[in-house]
Amino acid sequence: MTGHDSVYHKLFGHPGMVAQLLLDFVAEPWLDDLDLDGMERLNAKFHSETGERREGDMIWRIPRRGGGDTYLLLLLEFQSTPDRWMALRALVYVGLLWQHLVREKHLPPDGKLPPVLPMVVYNGDPRWAMPLALHGLVGLPENTPLWRYQPDMRYHLVDEGAFSDDDLAARDTLAALLFRLEASPDPERVVVLADAVLAWFGRHPGFEGLRSLFAELLGGLMAPLAPGVRVPEELLEVRNMLATRAEDWKRQWLQEGRVEGHLEGRVEGRLEGRAEGEAALLLRLLERRFGALPATVRDRIAAADTAALETWGLRMLDAGSLDEVLR
């Protein structure tokens, strides 16, 4: 995994971060029955072919207040495109988890299999449009005699890019702040969000381990933009360095025609000064920020000259809507 993905994995390896993710992005009544303070990570390793899971997949055991356990299968998707077969993968993992619990004699006194919640956190650019249930992958009409013999599996999806910034800003959790950082291409905006992260830690003591991980996450943004510069390890120092250099980086990006860095969402490559390259990059950034673009907008951008593309690119940094960019 890349350094950025490794930090992401560490963040969701912290029980406090996982608890916030559940409370904020699942938010169903049955969560009240779970003792989230007592959750612990299960180190079982398995895979359908090699006997091991991927590094980005985690299992959490969560005690229920009335007795017994519920298991969370957390799948972190760093791929650039959604996985069509995610429901099948979840089915295989849940089956292997149950086999592990049976083999290790970790079943409850009644001998029944414990419930499992498969949950996918996806941070790629294209919106997730794959089946959320295994039945959507089975080539069989519903309500036919064979249908009742087909296995089913459903997973809960958290598609980070599908949430608006206003929606995320209304959620007082580090998970929401993380998703906002992921969607922020503007260095100045990242500084504002770094301030919000610092304020959150000030209101919520007891998350010191996560504080250092957010410092590492922000430091990962600075590293490719400031080669040879030592990135601080303390969150406040990283924030101050970002603030000091943000305007210079913004000017450099506009002059060189490039946008790079992990927090923007892995937009890769460098503009070569041609209108075609500028149009392609602008389309990707607009889609990242405002979602799918109408055909008329795509045609307008494709036909625009370099001056218009640069003007729209500058407006996008502060605009609140697509109309404000292209007015």
Side-chain angles (χ1 to χ4, degrees):
M1 302 197 302
T2 66
H4 168 272
D5 294 349
S6 177
V7 175
Y8 224 82
H9 184 259
K10 293 176 186 175
L11 283 169
F12 286 106
H14 189 288
M17 191 76 170
V18 176
Q20 291 187 44
L21 180 70
L22 288 171
L23 292 172
D24 213 7
F25 292 94
V26 176
E28 295 182 6
W30 55 266
L31 287 172
D32 294 338
D33 186 45
L34 301 184
D35 178 13
L36 296 179
D37 291 334
M39 73 164 62
E40 63 177 8
R41 189 169 170 185
L42 187 67
N43 292 321
K45 295 183 178 181
F46 44 69
H47 189 279
S48 57
E49 295 177 354
T50 66
E52 295 185 354
R53 289 177 289 109
R54 300 182 321 162
E55 188 175 355
D57 301 332
M58 290 178 278
I59 299 173
W60 291 89
R61 184 188 66 82
I62 310 175
R64 294 198 301 274
R65 302 188 191 280
D69 298 318
T70 292
Y71 287 82
L72 170 66
L73 176 59
L74 185 59
L75 311 175
L76 303 181
E77 280 298 293
F78 303 118
Q79 300 178 153
S80 58
T81 56
D83 183 357
R84 181 190 177 202
W85 303 105
M86 179 58 69
L88 176 59
R89 202 171 97 206
L91 173 69
V92 172
Y93 278 5
V94 170
L96 290 170
L97 170 60
W98 279 336
Q99 285 185 338
H100 170 81
L101 296 176
V102 170
R103 184 173 58 251
E104 299 296 321
K105 295 181 172 57
H106 288 163
L107 296 178
D110 61 10
K112 294 184 178 180
L113 298 171
V116 180
L117 170 65
M119 186 174 184
V120 175
V121 177
Y122 167 69
N123 69 346
D125 288 332
R127 299 284 60 79
W128 192 282
M130 300 303 170
L132 300 181
L134 188 62
H135 277 169
L137 301 174
V138 178
L140 186 70
E142 292 188 35
N143 302 321
T144 58
L146 194 55
W147 184 255
R148 64 193 180 105
Y149 294 105
Q150 306 311 303
D152 195 14
M153 171 57 62
R154 176 175 293 275
Y155 58 91
H156 182 86
L157 174 69
V158 179
D159 182 353
E160 297 179 18
F163 296 94
S164 69
D165 189 68
D166 289 341
D167 183 349
L168 294 173
R171 303 167 183 258
D172 187 29
T173 61
L174 278 179
L177 285 168
L178 172 64
F179 298 165
R180 294 177 73 191
L181 282 167
E182 288 284 274
S184 297
D186 183 356
E188 293 178 342
R189 179 65 174 162
V190 172
V191 175
V192 172
L193 291 175
D195 286 338
V197 171
L198 284 164
W200 190 95
F201 281 117
R203 297 192 305 270
H204 301 85
F207 290 85
E208 285 73 14
L210 286 173
R211 184 185 179 99
S212 64
L213 289 174
F214 268 87
E216 187 176 349
L217 183 75
L218 290 171
L221 169 66
M222 295 178 58
L225 300 177
V229 175
R230 187 188 69 84
V231 177
E233 297 180 1
E234 209 285 320
L235 180 57
L236 179 59
E237 294 181 15
V238 176
R239 179 265 172 213
N240 290 338
M241 182 174 284
L242 277 168
T244 301
R245 296 173 175 266
E247 189 59 37
D248 291 339
W249 285 334
K250 185 176 179 179
R251 189 180 304 110
Q252 175 185 343
W253 287 7
L254 296 174
Q255 289 174 347
E256 296 184 2
R258 71 180 183 183
V259 180
E260 61 185 6
H262 295 299
L263 293 183
E264 195 283 323
R266 285 154 304 285
V267 175
E268 297 177 343
R270 179 186 180 117
L271 296 178
E272 298 299 330
R274 296 174 292 129
E276 295 88 347
E278 293 186 8
L281 180 61
L282 181 60
L283 283 170
R284 293 184 65 186
L285 293 176
L286 290 174
E287 287 178 339
R288 172 70 176 179
R289 185 158 183 194
F290 301 112
L293 303 177
T296 53
V297 170
R298 301 184 70 87
D299 292 343
R300 185 178 176 190
I301 291 174
D305 58 22
T306 301
L309 293 170
E310 290 178 351
T311 298
W312 293 337
L314 286 169
R315 288 178 184 169
M316 191 202 69
L317 296 174
D318 302 309
S321 68
L322 188 59
D323 289 341
E324 290 182 26
V325 176
L326 301 176
R327 69 179 185 274

